[in-house]
Amino acid sequence: MNKYKNTAKALLVVGLLAAGLLVLLFVFSLSRQVEFWLFALVLAGIALASLAAILTWGVTRSLDQPINELIKSAERIGNGNYNHQLAVSEDNDLAPLEHALEQMRLKLQQSAINNNYLTTVLDSMNDAVLVTSESNIISKVNVSAENLFGFSSAELIGKPLHELLVPVQRDGQAPATGLADLEESVIRTASGQTIPVSISSSALNSANAEFQGTIFVMRDITDRKRAERRIRYLARFDSLTKLPNRMQFQHLLQQGIARARRAERIVALLYLDLDRFKEINDTFGHEAGDRTLEILSDRLTRALPKEAVLGRLAGDEFAVFIEGIDPQEDERAQSANLARVVLAEISKAFYVQQHELFLTASIGIAFCPRDAENVIDLIRHADAAMYYSKQNSGNNFAFYSPEMNAAAVERLMLKSKLRRALERDELVMLYQPKVDLQTNMVIGAEALLRWRLPGYGDIPPSQFIPLAEETSLILGIGDWVMNRVCEDYRRWMDSINNPGQISINLSLKQLRQTSFATRYRNIFKRHEVSPTSFELEITETTLMQDPKRTVKLLDELFAMGLTLSIDDFGTGYSSLSALQQFPISSLKIDQSFVRGIDNDKGDATIVRTIIEMGKAMGMMVVAEGVETRAQLEYLRAHQCHYAQGHLFGRAMTAQDFLAMMIGQEKGQYQIAALFA
Ligand code: C2E
Ligand code: MG
Ligand code: MG
């Protein structure tokens, strides 16, 4: 381009010089009176020079125009407008430049399309997405994040993420070490409202250090939390008296004992049972009985000191504990006073349905640590003292003494016999069928243990498993169970294609065994059965004992192909989100709730809510202890996946279960009759 400009300039200079020279010649010729034609020649020269000047001006102008066009285009691109196509000329020195600029525009246009596409995707997500830098400063958010927090993206970007979170105490979980470890938190919105959210995060991996950081995906879990709180409330409080139920009372007592131990104080437990309460129910009806219990719990709540905790443990059984008695004081005198207050309240007349009713009660008192160190023993001892008092005419109280506990002697005896149960081959494995409520087919069974003790009959596991757990006997028993189930399974496979999936119960001590996974892997290998044919049932309480370690172990078992299930769901204290860290595939609704479906609205609600929540979390839901058709109808109406209970079959021998499965394979299933 410059080349043209310079040529034009040179032409101009030459033109001007020529014109100057001709003017000189003209002046010279005038003085010498030269001929006219010479004068004309000079004039033509001047015209030629002017023409050269005009030509130069034209060339310069025609060169500047495409350059200005190029500058305009570059400015448009610089301003982010990539849609204006550039005209690329063919035979022009500027063509390479125009071409390069057009290529650049096209590339920028494509990356802008990609960027918009990504933003559209992010903004279409229902979950809030926040991207942070390595130092947790927010660098990008989507529309859902703006909606969730109530801040605009401009307000969010640049803020440290933790400033938006409310520090919370998470039950059952170790405190999170960093933001990326959080699975759940509470956020504070622009309007100051707090909202519980679930969080999942992943690291942003980029070679470019500037782009490193974390992507957080958050979801409002207010509804889930509300449902969870409701389940927990219904499961912990007695619906009639609104007092803590047995489970909750034991939980509170456990906390009380722990506090008292730290403060070196005494806990007194009063266990009370109404005398002949059954007569009130029988004579005046259950409604009168219920009303009496309501009035009684109101009275006791009012009469007892503030620090006393009252609970309803069963029908007409209540308990009170106080913690923090100074060891210097006379704990017997203090608790005797309390017992007298309770007895006095009970002895006042009850006016129910125009009747005047009179009641008495028997109270047993035990102390921690003197009589027992833990909740279960303390309750058992207070219970024994209550029986003692009742036997001595009732309407009184008694302090526990070791002689009262005849049951304790029996326990000792059983313990010593249990030691020999394995050697003497007294254990028996039974199988209770599990039914798919959609196909009406038996899809497997739960393996349940029995102890056939000569002279005692079948002892249920609830009586001997706790004994076995007190010693390491449970480990031998657990291995025996696993071997026996695998052996039975192998035998079934000789007669039937698919014996279904067998669930096996595990207790805490078994899980704590070192090399547990390896042991089980070897057992499966030895019997040539696949781990995928089995499911392990673990209770909520067991899971939450040492969650970190348990997660590791369960991940290992899961990787082996075993399915994992939470047994007796609803009776524990873990939050659903705490359970989410485990590789669990199914929930078993505790039978105490299933039993209540027919007659307890609260229980029916719990069952329905557990089914809904289990499903929402992608788990299979099993109802256990189904005994009536009404329970079955309810479970079917709420689309519970599987069920188990006396309605479908009691726990049966391995041979009976096989016969049932063979019948089903031949199309003669017994269960189907139930659904007809
Ligand atoms: P679980 O795992 O919750 O088992 C269900 C219990 O409910 C079983 O009692 C079963 O017989 C009973 N059941 C089933 N259907 C019904 C029904 O319709 N109505 C009623 N009222 N009860 C029903 P079981 O066999 O006495 O077992 C009690 C607990 O003992 C089990 O509770 C389980 O935690 C434990 N257990 C059983 N076998 C083993 C075992 O091999 N190892 C370990 N560690 N624990 C076991
Ligand atoms: Mg079970
Ligand atoms: Mg259960």
Side-chain angles (χ1 to χ4, degrees):
M1 251 171 338
N2 272 343
K3 197 172 80 188
Y4 286 100
K5 276 194 167 181
N6 289 340
T7 315
K9 279 178 188 161
L11 214 59
L12 181 67
V13 169
V14 169
L16 287 175
L17 278 176
L21 199 65
L22 288 171
V23 169
L24 279 177
L25 267 173
F26 173 66
V27 173
F28 174 74
S29 64
L30 277 186
S31 64
R32 298 282 171 107
Q33 293 169 344
V34 188
E35 311 277 332
F36 172 76
W37 63 267
L38 199 62
F39 177 68
L41 192 70
V42 169
L43 273 183
I46 292 172
L48 204 70
S50 309
L51 197 68
I54 290 166
L55 213 70
T56 309
W57 177 80
V59 169
T60 315
R61 226 194 97 78
S62 71
L63 276 173
D64 275 350
Q65 202 171 357
I67 292 174
N68 287 338
E69 276 301 314
L70 269 180
I71 290 171
K72 265 195 219 150
S73 297
E75 276 172 0
R76 260 202 306 276
I77 292 172
N79 290 334
N81 176 359
Y82 312 130
N83 297 327
H84 205 283
Q85 194 179 351
L86 262 80
V88 181
S89 26
E90 288 288 301
D91 50 352
N92 180 341
D93 268 13
L94 291 178
L97 193 60
E98 287 168 349
H99 187 72
L101 200 59
E102 173 63 3
Q103 287 305 312
M104 187 170 103
R105 179 190 72 83
L106 286 172
K107 277 203 181 132
L108 286 170
Q109 189 182 37
Q110 189 55 46
S111 82
I113 290 172
N114 290 345
N115 201 4
N116 286 341
Y117 179 65
L118 205 66
T119 309
T120 312
V121 171
L122 281 179
D123 285 344
S124 308
M125 287 176 69
N126 291 329
D127 290 343
V129 177
L130 297 104
V131 183
T132 63
S133 68
E134 268 191 308
S135 48
N136 283 317
I137 305 294
I138 299 172
S139 58
K140 186 163 180 61
V141 297
N142 68 352
V143 170
S144 295
E146 292 181 289
N147 294 341
L148 178 67
F149 285 93
F151 285 116
S152 69
S153 69
E155 287 167 320
L156 286 171
I157 290 171
K159 259 198 175 72
L161 180 58
H162 62 82
E163 274 187 13
L164 298 167
L165 305 181
V166 182
V168 278
Q169 191 72 40
R170 301 174 321 143
D171 52 334
Q173 291 181 41
T177 44
L179 282 174
D181 291 333
L182 283 178
E183 280 148 14
E184 216 169 77
S185 187
V186 177
I187 59 157
R188 195 183 299 286
T189 67
S191 61
Q193 190 193 354
T194 52
I195 298 178
V197 291
S198 69
I199 304 181
S200 67
S201 60
S202 39
L204 202 57
N205 286 321
S206 164
N208 189 341
E210 213 183 301
F211 292 148
Q212 276 171 5
T214 313
I215 308 171
F216 292 90
V217 179
M218 297 188 184
R219 178 177 294 184
D220 182 343
I221 51 168
T222 310
D223 290 344
R224 199 184 88 193
K225 282 280 169 199
R226 197 176 298 131
E228 215 172 285
R229 271 199 300 276
R230 184 152 170 71
I231 287 186
R232 297 304 173 195
Y233 178 82
L234 290 170
R236 289 170 198 190
F237 291 88
D238 170 40
S239 51
L240 178 69
T241 61
K242 310 283 178 289
L243 290 177
N245 64 11
R246 176 178 283 270
M247 201 164 76
Q248 176 69 355
F249 184 82
Q250 285 186 359
H251 181 65
L252 296 174
L253 181 56
Q254 182 147 32
Q255 291 178 334
I257 288 177
R259 272 192 301 269
R261 186 171 296 142
R262 280 196 297 275
E264 297 184 352
R265 297 283 164 133
I266 294 169
V267 177
L269 173 67
L270 283 71
Y271 200 111
L272 83 102
D273 186 292
L274 299 175
D275 301 324
R276 294 184 295 280
F277 183 70
K278 195 172 171 297
E279 287 169 20
I280 293 193
N281 272 334
D282 293 348
T283 320
F284 303 102
H286 277 275
E287 256 176 52
D290 281 356
R291 184 73 197 115
T292 313
L293 293 175
E294 271 180 289
I295 299 173
L296 173 62
S297 36
D298 266 3
R299 277 192 199 164
L300 292 182
T301 309
R302 256 188 274 268
L304 287 166
K306 255 205 331 279
E307 65 275 16
V309 178
L310 174 66
R312 182 182 178 206
L313 304 200
D316 62 346
E317 290 170 38
F318 293 80
V320 184
F321 79 84
I322 42 169
E323 60 181 85
I325 304 176
D326 192 331
Q328 308 300 325
E329 290 171 28
D330 183 351
E331 72 268 17
R332 282 181 161 246
Q334 274 202 31
S335 41
N337 280 339
L338 210 58
R340 281 189 204 101
V341 169
V342 172
L343 289 176
E345 288 301 321
I346 295 174
S347 66
K348 290 178 190 164
F350 290 84
Y351 297 97
V352 176
Q353 297 171 354
Q354 285 107 42
H355 300 290
E356 192 181 32
L357 308 179
F358 288 95
L359 279 176
T360 58
S362 303
I363 299 177
I365 304 170
F367 300 103
C368 173
R370 201 186 63 197
D371 298 328
E373 297 265 2
N374 62 54
V375 178
I376 302 298
D377 288 345
L378 189 62
I379 292 184
R380 231 189 38 237
H381 291 170
D383 194 15
M386 185 273 290
Y387 268 105
Y388 180 86
S389 160
K390 199 174 275 282
Q391 277 159 15
N392 287 309
S393 77
N395 195 21
N396 212 336
F397 61 89
F399 293 104
Y400 169 77
S401 73
E403 303 82 61
M404 288 173 181
N405 214 334
V409 179
E410 194 167 341
R411 267 168 73 83
L412 275 177
M413 180 206 71
L414 271 187
K415 221 167 170 172
S416 70
K417 286 192 194 295
L418 186 58
R419 258 179 240 288
R420 291 187 306 233
L422 275 173
E423 301 157 23
R424 296 185 180 177
D425 207 14
E426 290 169 352
L427 298 181
V428 181
M429 209 71 238
L430 298 183
Y431 298 90
Q432 183 176 40
K434 204 156 106 181
V435 176
D436 183 330
L437 293 183
Q438 210 165 35
T439 61
N440 304 338
M441 302 282 263
V442 178
I443 44 95
E446 177 173 5
L448 293 164
L449 189 58
R450 296 286 175 272
W451 178 14
R452 231 152 244 181
L453 179 60
Y456 285 81
D458 272 6
I459 301 182
S462 52
Q463 277 182 32
F464 69 89
I465 295 279
L467 284 184
E469 285 202 307
E470 282 173 17
T471 61
S472 53
L473 270 174
I474 189 67
L475 304 186
I477 293 179
D479 279 4
W480 183 90
V481 165
M482 205 64 215
N483 273 301
R484 171 49 51 88
V485 172
C486 289
E487 220 174 287
D488 286 341
Y489 203 90
R490 184 72 254 167
R491 209 167 314 120
W492 293 335
M493 280 167 74
D494 295 339
S495 328
I496 188 172
N497 281 334
N498 180 14
Q501 192 180 48
I502 305 300
S503 313
I504 297 155
N505 292 284
L506 276 192
S507 55
L508 180 64
K509 267 230 171 125
Q510 287 175 273
L511 270 185
R512 291 283 165 274
Q513 230 171 332
T514 44
S515 64
F516 174 84
T518 323
R519 263 170 112 105
Y520 273 41
R521 188 182 285 121
N522 289 339
I523 295 179
F524 294 129
K525 240 194 210 150
R526 191 158 65 245
H527 294 280
E528 296 175 63
V529 289
S530 161
T532 54
S533 307
F534 304 95
E535 177 180 65
L536 300 181
E537 292 191 3
I538 303 162
T539 63
E540 261 181 279
T541 336
T542 302
L543 279 176
M544 298 317 296
Q545 288 289 324
D546 182 0
K548 262 215 167 109
R549 205 173 125 180
T550 312
V551 166
K552 253 180 81 185
L553 173 63
L554 296 191
D555 279 340
E556 202 178 337
L557 296 173
F558 183 73
M560 217 197 270
L562 280 160
T563 311
L564 302 166
S565 151
I566 303 180
D567 205 353
D568 304 343
F569 184 77
T571 57
Y573 280 89
S574 44
S575 77
L576 268 178
S577 45
L579 292 174
Q580 266 178 318
Q581 59 187 311
F582 304 105
I584 299 292
S585 353
S586 58
L587 290 182
K588 291 189 88 169
I589 309 174
D590 190 62
Q591 46 180 295
S592 60
F593 302 129
V594 176
R595 198 170 305 138
I597 286 178
D598 298 343
N599 46 32
D600 185 327
K601 265 213 181 112
D603 283 351
T605 311
I606 293 181
V607 169
R608 198 192 63 222
T609 317
I610 294 178
I611 296 174
E612 280 165 12
M613 291 169 69
K615 281 185 168 175
M617 287 165 70
M619 297 192 188
M620 301 305 279
V621 184
V622 189
E624 62 180 8
V626 181
E627 291 181 349
T628 68
R629 267 178 172 277
Q631 291 162 356
L632 172 64
E633 298 311 346
Y634 185 85
L635 293 165
R636 282 169 70 79
H638 292 94
Q639 277 131 37
C640 182
H641 300 111
Y642 304 129
Q644 195 187 320
H646 292 168
L647 184 65
F648 310 105
R650 289 178 181 254
M652 53 184 86
T653 61
Q655 291 92 312
D656 288 347
F657 180 67
L658 177 63
M660 183 180 220
M661 293 307 273
I662 292 176
Q664 177 167 281
E665 223 177 51
K666 287 189 186 152
Q668 323 160 329
Y669 32 82
Q670 297 97 314
I671 300 289
L674 268 175
F675 300 96

Short mmCIF file of all heavy atoms in Angstrom, two decimals, residues 611-651:
data_model
loop_
_atom_site.label_atom_id
_atom_site.label_comp_id
_atom_site.label_asym_id
_atom_site.label_seq_id
_atom_site.Cartn_x
_atom_site.Cartn_y
_atom_site.Cartn_z
N ILE A 611 -41.67 -44.95 52.30
CA ILE A 611 -41.73 -45.48 50.93
C ILE A 611 -41.37 -44.36 49.95
O ILE A 611 -40.51 -44.52 49.09
CB ILE A 611 -43.13 -46.04 50.59
CG1 ILE A 611 -43.45 -47.24 51.48
CG2 ILE A 611 -43.20 -46.44 49.12
CD1 ILE A 611 -44.86 -47.78 51.33
N GLU A 612 -42.00 -43.20 50.14
CA GLU A 612 -41.76 -42.08 49.22
C GLU A 612 -40.30 -41.65 49.24
O GLU A 612 -39.66 -41.46 48.21
CB GLU A 612 -42.64 -40.89 49.59
CG GLU A 612 -44.06 -41.06 49.08
CD GLU A 612 -45.03 -40.08 49.74
OE1 GLU A 612 -44.57 -39.14 50.42
OE2 GLU A 612 -46.25 -40.29 49.59
N MET A 613 -39.77 -41.52 50.47
CA MET A 613 -38.39 -41.03 50.57
C MET A 613 -37.39 -42.05 50.05
O MET A 613 -36.43 -41.70 49.38
CB MET A 613 -38.07 -40.67 52.02
CG MET A 613 -38.85 -39.46 52.44
SD MET A 613 -38.72 -39.22 54.18
CE MET A 613 -37.04 -38.77 54.29
N GLY A 614 -37.63 -43.33 50.38
CA GLY A 614 -36.75 -44.40 49.89
C GLY A 614 -36.69 -44.34 48.37
O GLY A 614 -35.62 -44.40 47.77
N LYS A 615 -37.87 -44.19 47.78
CA LYS A 615 -37.93 -44.16 46.31
C LYS A 615 -37.19 -42.96 45.77
O LYS A 615 -36.45 -43.05 44.79
CB LYS A 615 -39.38 -44.10 45.85
CG LYS A 615 -40.04 -45.45 45.91
CD LYS A 615 -41.41 -45.31 45.33
CE LYS A 615 -42.03 -46.65 45.09
NZ LYS A 615 -43.42 -46.48 44.64
N ALA A 616 -37.42 -41.81 46.43
CA ALA A 616 -36.77 -40.58 45.96
C ALA A 616 -35.25 -40.74 46.00
O ALA A 616 -34.54 -40.10 45.24
CB ALA A 616 -37.20 -39.40 46.81
N MET A 617 -34.78 -41.58 46.93
CA MET A 617 -33.34 -41.76 47.03
C MET A 617 -32.86 -42.94 46.19
O MET A 617 -31.71 -43.37 46.30
CB MET A 617 -32.95 -41.96 48.50
CG MET A 617 -33.04 -40.67 49.28
SD MET A 617 -33.01 -40.98 51.04
CE MET A 617 -31.31 -41.49 51.22
N GLY A 618 -33.76 -43.47 45.37
CA GLY A 618 -33.38 -44.56 44.46
C GLY A 618 -33.19 -45.89 45.17
O GLY A 618 -32.43 -46.74 44.70
N MET A 619 -33.85 -46.07 46.31
CA MET A 619 -33.70 -47.34 47.02
C MET A 619 -34.95 -48.21 46.85
O MET A 619 -36.04 -47.70 46.63
CB MET A 619 -33.50 -47.08 48.51
CG MET A 619 -32.26 -46.30 48.80
SD MET A 619 -31.95 -46.38 50.55
CE MET A 619 -30.62 -45.23 50.70
N MET A 620 -34.76 -49.51 47.00
CA MET A 620 -35.90 -50.42 47.01
C MET A 620 -36.44 -50.41 48.45
O MET A 620 -35.67 -50.35 49.40
CB MET A 620 -35.48 -51.84 46.65
CG MET A 620 -34.82 -51.95 45.29
SD MET A 620 -35.84 -51.29 43.96
CE MET A 620 -36.94 -52.66 43.68
N VAL A 621 -37.76 -50.47 48.60
CA VAL A 621 -38.33 -50.42 49.94
C VAL A 621 -39.03 -51.74 50.26
O VAL A 621 -39.83 -52.24 49.47
CB VAL A 621 -39.32 -49.24 50.08
CG1 VAL A 621 -39.82 -49.15 51.51
CG2 VAL A 621 -38.65 -47.94 49.67
N VAL A 622 -38.67 -52.31 51.41
CA VAL A 622 -39.22 -53.58 51.84
C VAL A 622 -40.02 -53.33 53.13
O VAL A 622 -39.52 -52.69 54.04
CB VAL A 622 -38.08 -54.58 52.18
CG1 VAL A 622 -38.63 -55.97 52.41
CG2 VAL A 622 -37.02 -54.58 51.09
N ALA A 623 -41.25 -53.87 53.18
CA ALA A 623 -42.00 -53.77 54.43
C ALA A 623 -41.90 -55.11 55.13
O ALA A 623 -42.13 -56.14 54.51
CB ALA A 623 -43.45 -53.44 54.12
N GLU A 624 -41.51 -55.10 56.41
CA GLU A 624 -41.42 -56.39 57.10
C GLU A 624 -42.53 -56.52 58.13
O GLU A 624 -43.10 -55.52 58.57
CB GLU A 624 -40.04 -56.60 57.70
CG GLU A 624 -39.63 -55.61 58.74
CD GLU A 624 -38.24 -55.89 59.29
OE1 GLU A 624 -37.53 -56.76 58.77
OE2 GLU A 624 -37.87 -55.22 60.27
N GLY A 625 -42.85 -57.76 58.50
CA GLY A 625 -43.88 -58.00 59.50
C GLY A 625 -45.29 -57.76 58.99
O GLY A 625 -46.18 -57.34 59.73
N VAL A 626 -45.52 -58.01 57.68
CA VAL A 626 -46.87 -57.82 57.12
C VAL A 626 -47.72 -59.01 57.55
O VAL A 626 -47.40 -60.17 57.26
CB VAL A 626 -46.81 -57.74 55.57
CG1 VAL A 626 -48.21 -57.53 55.01
CG2 VAL A 626 -45.89 -56.63 55.15
N GLU A 627 -48.79 -58.72 58.27
CA GLU A 627 -49.61 -59.81 58.82
C GLU A 627 -51.03 -59.81 58.27
O GLU A 627 -51.70 -60.84 58.28
CB GLU A 627 -49.65 -59.72 60.35
CG GLU A 627 -48.31 -60.04 60.99
CD GLU A 627 -48.34 -59.98 62.50
OE1 GLU A 627 -49.33 -59.49 63.07
OE2 GLU A 627 -47.36 -60.41 63.12
N THR A 628 -51.53 -58.64 57.87
CA THR A 628 -52.94 -58.60 57.47
C THR A 628 -53.08 -58.13 56.02
O THR A 628 -52.19 -57.47 55.47
CB THR A 628 -53.74 -57.62 58.35
OG1 THR A 628 -53.29 -56.29 58.07
CG2 THR A 628 -53.56 -57.90 59.83
N ARG A 629 -54.23 -58.46 55.45
CA ARG A 629 -54.53 -58.04 54.09
C ARG A 629 -54.60 -56.51 54.00
O ARG A 629 -54.20 -55.93 53.00
CB ARG A 629 -55.88 -58.62 53.66
CG ARG A 629 -55.71 -59.92 52.95
CD ARG A 629 -57.05 -60.50 52.57
NE ARG A 629 -56.83 -61.65 51.73
CZ ARG A 629 -56.61 -61.58 50.42
NH1 ARG A 629 -56.61 -60.43 49.80
NH2 ARG A 629 -56.39 -62.66 49.72
N ALA A 630 -55.14 -55.90 55.07
CA ALA A 630 -55.27 -54.45 55.06
C ALA A 630 -53.88 -53.80 54.95
O ALA A 630 -53.69 -52.83 54.20
CB ALA A 630 -55.97 -53.98 56.33
N GLN A 631 -52.91 -54.35 55.68
CA GLN A 631 -51.53 -53.83 55.59
C GLN A 631 -51.02 -54.00 54.16
O GLN A 631 -50.42 -53.10 53.58
CB GLN A 631 -50.62 -54.56 56.58
CG GLN A 631 -50.93 -54.25 58.02
CD GLN A 631 -50.35 -55.28 58.99
OE1 GLN A 631 -49.77 -56.29 58.58
NE2 GLN A 631 -50.53 -55.03 60.28
N LEU A 632 -51.28 -55.18 53.59
CA LEU A 632 -50.83 -55.45 52.23
C LEU A 632 -51.45 -54.46 51.25
O LEU A 632 -50.75 -53.90 50.40
CB LEU A 632 -51.22 -56.89 51.84
CG LEU A 632 -50.99 -57.27 50.38
CD1 LEU A 632 -49.51 -57.23 50.04
CD2 LEU A 632 -51.54 -58.66 50.09
N GLU A 633 -52.77 -54.21 51.40
CA GLU A 633 -53.44 -53.29 50.48
C GLU A 633 -52.81 -51.91 50.56
O GLU A 633 -52.57 -51.25 49.56
CB GLU A 633 -54.95 -53.15 50.79
CG GLU A 633 -55.77 -54.41 50.67
CD GLU A 633 -55.54 -55.17 49.37
OE1 GLU A 633 -54.94 -54.62 48.41
OE2 GLU A 633 -55.92 -56.33 49.32
N TYR A 634 -52.56 -51.49 51.80
CA TYR A 634 -51.98 -50.16 52.01
C TYR A 634 -50.61 -50.06 51.32
O TYR A 634 -50.30 -49.10 50.63
CB TYR A 634 -51.84 -49.88 53.51
CG TYR A 634 -51.38 -48.49 53.83
CD1 TYR A 634 -52.28 -47.43 53.93
CD2 TYR A 634 -50.03 -48.22 54.06
CE1 TYR A 634 -51.85 -46.14 54.22
CE2 TYR A 634 -49.59 -46.94 54.36
CZ TYR A 634 -50.50 -45.91 54.45
OH TYR A 634 -50.07 -44.64 54.74
N LEU A 635 -49.81 -51.11 51.52
CA LEU A 635 -48.45 -51.10 50.94
C LEU A 635 -48.52 -51.11 49.42
O LEU A 635 -47.74 -50.43 48.74
CB LEU A 635 -47.67 -52.32 51.44
CG LEU A 635 -47.37 -52.30 52.93
CD1 LEU A 635 -46.92 -53.67 53.40
CD2 LEU A 635 -46.29 -51.26 53.24
N ARG A 636 -49.46 -51.88 48.89
CA ARG A 636 -49.61 -51.91 47.43
C ARG A 636 -50.08 -50.56 46.91
O ARG A 636 -49.59 -50.08 45.89
CB ARG A 636 -50.59 -53.02 47.01
CG ARG A 636 -49.94 -54.40 47.05
CD ARG A 636 -50.97 -55.48 46.90
NE ARG A 636 -51.54 -55.52 45.56
CZ ARG A 636 -50.95 -56.07 44.52
NH1 ARG A 636 -49.77 -56.62 44.67
NH2 ARG A 636 -51.52 -56.07 43.35
N ALA A 637 -51.03 -49.96 47.65
CA ALA A 637 -51.56 -48.67 47.21
C ALA A 637 -50.45 -47.63 47.16
O ALA A 637 -50.49 -46.70 46.37
CB ALA A 637 -52.68 -48.22 48.15
N HIS A 638 -49.45 -47.77 48.05
CA HIS A 638 -48.36 -46.78 48.06
C HIS A 638 -47.11 -47.30 47.36
O HIS A 638 -46.02 -46.78 47.56
CB HIS A 638 -48.07 -46.34 49.50
CG HIS A 638 -49.20 -45.54 50.06
ND1 HIS A 638 -50.21 -46.11 50.79
CD2 HIS A 638 -49.52 -44.24 49.93
CE1 HIS A 638 -51.09 -45.17 51.10
NE2 HIS A 638 -50.70 -44.03 50.58
N GLN A 639 -47.33 -48.34 46.57
CA GLN A 639 -46.26 -48.86 45.70
C GLN A 639 -44.96 -49.22 46.41
O GLN A 639 -43.87 -48.88 45.96
CB GLN A 639 -45.96 -47.89 44.57
CG GLN A 639 -46.92 -48.06 43.42
CD GLN A 639 -47.50 -46.75 42.98
OE1 GLN A 639 -46.82 -45.74 42.98
NE2 GLN A 639 -48.78 -46.74 42.64
N CYS A 640 -45.12 -49.90 47.55
CA CYS A 640 -43.94 -50.44 48.23
C CYS A 640 -43.45 -51.60 47.34
O CYS A 640 -44.25 -52.33 46.77
CB CYS A 640 -44.37 -50.95 49.60
SG CYS A 640 -43.01 -51.59 50.54
N HIS A 641 -42.10 -51.74 47.20
CA HIS A 641 -41.60 -52.75 46.25
C HIS A 641 -41.79 -54.18 46.75
O HIS A 641 -42.36 -55.00 46.06
CB HIS A 641 -40.10 -52.51 45.99
CG HIS A 641 -39.81 -51.17 45.41
ND1 HIS A 641 -39.14 -50.18 46.10
CD2 HIS A 641 -40.11 -50.64 44.21
CE1 HIS A 641 -39.03 -49.11 45.34
NE2 HIS A 641 -39.61 -49.37 44.19
N TYR A 642 -41.28 -54.44 47.96
CA TYR A 642 -41.28 -55.82 48.45
C TYR A 642 -41.94 -55.91 49.83
O TYR A 642 -42.00 -54.92 50.56
CB TYR A 642 -39.84 -56.34 48.58
CG TYR A 642 -39.04 -56.26 47.32
CD1 TYR A 642 -37.77 -55.67 47.31
CD2 TYR A 642 -39.52 -56.80 46.13
CE1 TYR A 642 -37.01 -55.60 46.15
CE2 TYR A 642 -38.77 -56.73 44.96
CZ TYR A 642 -37.52 -56.12 44.98
OH TYR A 642 -36.78 -56.05 43.84
N ALA A 643 -42.38 -57.11 50.18
CA ALA A 643 -42.94 -57.30 51.52
C ALA A 643 -42.60 -58.69 52.03
O ALA A 643 -42.28 -59.61 51.27
CB ALA A 643 -44.44 -57.11 51.49
N GLN A 644 -42.69 -58.80 53.35
CA GLN A 644 -42.27 -60.01 54.04
C GLN A 644 -43.12 -60.07 55.29
O GLN A 644 -43.43 -59.03 55.87
CB GLN A 644 -40.80 -59.78 54.40
CG GLN A 644 -39.99 -60.95 54.80
CD GLN A 644 -38.62 -60.46 55.26
OE1 GLN A 644 -38.04 -59.56 54.68
NE2 GLN A 644 -38.14 -61.03 56.32
N GLY A 645 -43.55 -61.24 55.69
CA GLY A 645 -44.33 -61.32 56.93
C GLY A 645 -45.16 -62.58 56.98
O GLY A 645 -45.21 -63.34 56.01
N HIS A 646 -45.83 -62.77 58.11
CA HIS A 646 -46.59 -64.00 58.32
C HIS A 646 -47.68 -64.19 57.26
O HIS A 646 -48.07 -65.30 56.97
CB HIS A 646 -47.19 -64.01 59.72
CG HIS A 646 -46.15 -64.13 60.78
ND1 HIS A 646 -46.38 -63.92 62.12
CD2 HIS A 646 -44.82 -64.44 60.69
CE1 HIS A 646 -45.27 -64.10 62.80
NE2 HIS A 646 -44.31 -64.40 61.95
N LEU A 647 -48.18 -63.08 56.69
CA LEU A 647 -49.22 -63.16 55.67
C LEU A 647 -48.74 -64.01 54.48
O LEU A 647 -49.51 -64.74 53.88
CB LEU A 647 -49.60 -61.75 55.20
CG LEU A 647 -50.74 -61.65 54.19
CD1 LEU A 647 -52.06 -62.11 54.80
CD2 LEU A 647 -50.90 -60.22 53.70
N PHE A 648 -47.47 -63.90 54.16
CA PHE A 648 -46.92 -64.64 53.01
C PHE A 648 -46.27 -65.94 53.44
O PHE A 648 -46.12 -66.85 52.65
CB PHE A 648 -45.87 -63.79 52.28
CG PHE A 648 -46.34 -62.42 51.96
CD1 PHE A 648 -45.88 -61.33 52.68
CD2 PHE A 648 -47.26 -62.20 50.95
CE1 PHE A 648 -46.31 -60.06 52.40
CE2 PHE A 648 -47.70 -60.92 50.66
CZ PHE A 648 -47.24 -59.85 51.38
N GLY A 649 -45.80 -66.00 54.66
CA GLY A 649 -45.15 -67.21 55.12
C GLY A 649 -44.25 -66.92 56.29
O GLY A 649 -43.62 -65.86 56.35
N ARG A 650 -44.22 -67.84 57.25
CA ARG A 650 -43.31 -67.70 58.39
C ARG A 650 -41.95 -68.21 57.97
O ARG A 650 -41.80 -68.78 56.89
CB ARG A 650 -43.84 -68.53 59.56
CG ARG A 650 -45.07 -67.91 60.15
CD ARG A 650 -45.63 -68.74 61.28
NE ARG A 650 -46.84 -68.06 61.76
CZ ARG A 650 -46.91 -67.38 62.90
NH1 ARG A 650 -45.88 -67.29 63.70
NH2 ARG A 650 -48.03 -66.80 63.24
N ALA A 651 -40.98 -68.01 58.84
CA ALA A 651 -39.65 -68.54 58.55
C ALA A 651 -39.77 -70.07 58.46
O ALA A 651 -40.38 -70.69 59.32
CB ALA A 651 -38.70 -68.14 59.66
#
